[in-house]
Amino acid sequence: MQPLSGLLVLDFTTLLPGPMATLMLAEAGADVVKIEAPGGENARHFPPMIDGESAAFAMLNRGKKSMALDLKSENDRAKLKPLLERADILVEQFRPGVMARLSLGYDDTRAINPRLIYCSISGYGQSGPRVHEAGHDINYIGNTGLLDLQPGPADRPVVPPMLAADIAGGSFPAVINILLALRARDQSGQGCRIDIAMTDAMFTFTWAALALGAASGRFPKPGEMWLVGGSPRYQIYPAKDGKLVACGAIEQKFWIAFAKAISLPTQFIDDMRDPRATRDAVAQLIAARTSEEWRPIFAAADCCTTIVTPLEEAMADPHFVERGLFAHKVTTSSGKNFPALPLPISPNFREAPGSKKAPKLG
């Protein structure tokens, strides 16, 4: 039996943060019922499509069930009452106040089921001056100082490749706090309200900058700190063939091994003296050889330096294959399989690898 077997989750969420959170609950054994508008949530129509189904939607909703309801209709909302009476967890992702206007707010549902754990995911939380402000991931990391730590060059700023606020600020904190709430319910017998603001956790990622500000009273400028491009030891260098070398030789022993591997001239090894000069010297050396020439050199040096790998190559890496990251599958209605989304859940708590479908609407 899986750890969340027997728990019923009502999922009122769309797009990414909430669906990924409830996907993790489903993968740990919970029975997740996705409550959708009569036409289905927007993500059902997001490309790319496989046999007429959205691949992204299928990945995020694998193994769930679906119930189509018009939540503005009193008759349709009445159909939720039997589910609310026995549900353990409710996850919603509307703007603050919407569920209350639909008579599905925390006070409404607690009156039906005092053991219900009610989790709300929003951009800025359920209170505060920004509570009704629209936003997306880039706004959330931009408003918390995180994006300012390394936006890239001023004339060509870089959009980060991951949705940190949606996943690390929404999905993961939701799951963590739901599990804590289940433990608290074991002790008290009562459910609770969980307020997840995707922006809040973005300050967690600024830990080094916060420490610098606390210790010195001076906060870092963009690109200044070691781990965001301020050090030649933690840097991305283009090789001769245009592929990128990811250098993470922070510790002195790794830095010395790296410097030896690339034959860095002695005057540049003390990178504290002139970090920019050292970085430029390293960049020039790396650019003199192709990534395939560097690959065995860095592997032999064991200096925390690797070649940046495209996703399709990473998926075929024997290490990740052996660990079973892509062993679980999503099945389309026509029977076609493709890899399920890897999740940070121990295999101990998941079913054995197999195929599951995303729910048909309703």
Side-chain angles (χ1 to χ4, degrees), residues 87-214:
D88 297 280
I89 300 157
L90 183 153
V91 186
E92 64 94 5
Q93 196 180 299
F94 291 106
R95 283 202 186 192
V98 170
M99 286 289 275
R101 291 198 296 272
L102 295 170
S103 300
L104 292 169
Y106 176 57
D107 290 338
D108 303 297
T109 55
R110 181 176 58 178
I112 297 171
N113 179 357
R115 288 176 53 81
L116 183 67
I117 293 165
Y118 191 109
C119 178
S120 297
I121 304 173
S122 63
Y124 298 100
Q126 303 297 308
S127 62
R130 291 185 181 271
V131 66
H132 296 298
E133 185 175 319
H136 278 299
D137 203 282
I138 200 165
N139 310 114
Y140 306 146
I141 63 175
N143 282 335
T144 51
L146 181 58
L147 184 57
D148 186 63
L149 293 177
Q150 180 49 290
D155 61 333
R156 51 184 192 284
V158 177
V159 178
M162 71 290 188
L163 297 176
D166 279 8
I167 297 174
S171 308
F172 290 178
V175 171
I176 292 169
N177 283 278
I178 286 169
L179 297 179
L180 292 173
L182 286 169
R183 177 62 179 136
R185 192 179 72 174
D186 289 342
Q187 298 168 330
S188 69
Q190 297 295 307
C192 66
R193 176 76 184 274
I194 301 171
D195 176 7
I196 301 296
M198 289 183 274
T199 45
D200 288 359
M202 296 305 93
F203 286 104
T204 308
F205 290 96
T206 68
W207 61 274
L210 288 172
L212 176 63

Side-chain angles (χ1 to χ4, degrees), residues 260-283:
K260 182 179 179 181
I262 66 171
S263 299
L264 184 66
T266 304
Q267 67 266 32
F268 297 115
I269 293 178
D270 181 5
D271 58 313
M272 298 299 291
R273 184 175 57 84
D274 189 343
R276 183 180 294 273
T278 296
R279 185 188 65 190
D280 292 346
V282 172

Side-chain angles (χ1 to χ4, degrees), residues 307-321 325-326:
I307 309 301
V308 173
T309 307
L311 177 58
E312 62 271 23
E313 293 180 17
M315 291 176 67
D317 186 311
H319 177 81
F320 301 127
V321 172
L325 265 65
F326 298 96

